[in-house]
């Protein structure tokens, strides 16, 4: 009886030690194809210059050569329709020379490609989410 009890105790201790030695799987880790919402990305990447309200009054505005654009008037400035192609191209390829402002604005396309390991559908989803969010901010 005594040896059986010792054997059971030894097995329990060995099992507990093995369980602790197993690497834990991080269940909070996001899948490689995870794409944040447009609102999340805007807050993280755009709000510093354009402001949380997208009116161009972010905290980094004073350090820009040309003030950040008011993104809430894009539809108004494009005949009443939100310019999805224009916004997507700005995000993918940058603002250009004079069309959007200065080179202070990052070219997000290559940055998103790097962040997403060059997974084109994921990059396109990021740009779509961000464009959709900016479209939702348009003045009525």
């Amino acid at each position: 009886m005594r040896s059986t009890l010792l054997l059971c105790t030894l097995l329990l201790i060995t099992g507990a030690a093995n369980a602790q030695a197993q690497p834990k799987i991080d269940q909070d880790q996001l899948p490689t194809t995870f794409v944040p919402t447009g609102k999340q990305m805007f807050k993280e990447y755009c709000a510093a210059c354009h402001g949380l309200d997208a009116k161009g009054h972010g905290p980094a505005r004073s350090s820009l050569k040309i003030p950040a654009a008011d993104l809430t008037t894009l539809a108004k400035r494009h005949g009443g329709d939100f310019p999805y192609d224009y916004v997507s191209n700005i995000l993918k390829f940058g603002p250009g020379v004079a069309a959007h402002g200065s080179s202070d604005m990052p070219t997000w396309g290559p940055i998103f490609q790097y962040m997403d390991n060059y997974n084109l559908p994921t990059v396109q989803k990021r740009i779509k989410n961000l464009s959709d969010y900016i479209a939702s901010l348009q003045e009525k």
Side-chain angles (χ1 to χ4, degrees), residues 106-118:
T107 303
W108 291 107
I111 295 168
F112 291 158
Q113 286 179 26
Y114 177 77
M115 289 170 52
D116 295 320
N117 291 324
Y118 299 91

Side-chain angles (χ1 to χ4, degrees), residues 46-62 67-71:
C46 311
C49 297
H50 293 282
L52 285 173
D53 62 358
K55 292 188 179 282
H57 302 289
R61 182 180 190 196
S62 63
D70 178 349
L71 300 179

Side-chain angles (χ1 to χ4, degrees), residues 9-56:
T9 305
L10 183 60
L11 288 173
L12 282 173
I13 292 172
T14 305
N18 281 340
Q20 288 179 349
Q22 298 291 328
K24 293 190 178 204
I25 297 171
D26 184 8
Q27 299 201 357
D28 293 331
Q29 185 177 10
L30 299 171
T32 56
T33 57
F34 171 76
V35 178
T37 66
K39 184 175 184 176
Q40 290 169 320
M41 287 188 291
F42 187 88
K43 184 176 179 181
E44 185 172 345
Y45 306 127
C46 311
C49 297
H50 293 282
L52 285 173
D53 62 358
K55 292 188 179 282

Side-chain angles (χ1 to χ4, degrees), residues 99-112:
H100 181 72
S102 73
S103 61
D104 287 339
M105 183 174 157
T107 303
W108 291 107
I111 295 168
F112 291 158

Side-chain angles (χ1 to χ4, degrees), residues 81-95:
D81 294 322
F82 184 76
Y84 276 99
D85 289 339
Y86 172 76
V87 172
S88 295
N89 284 332
I90 293 293
L91 293 171
K92 288 179 200 171
F93 307 117

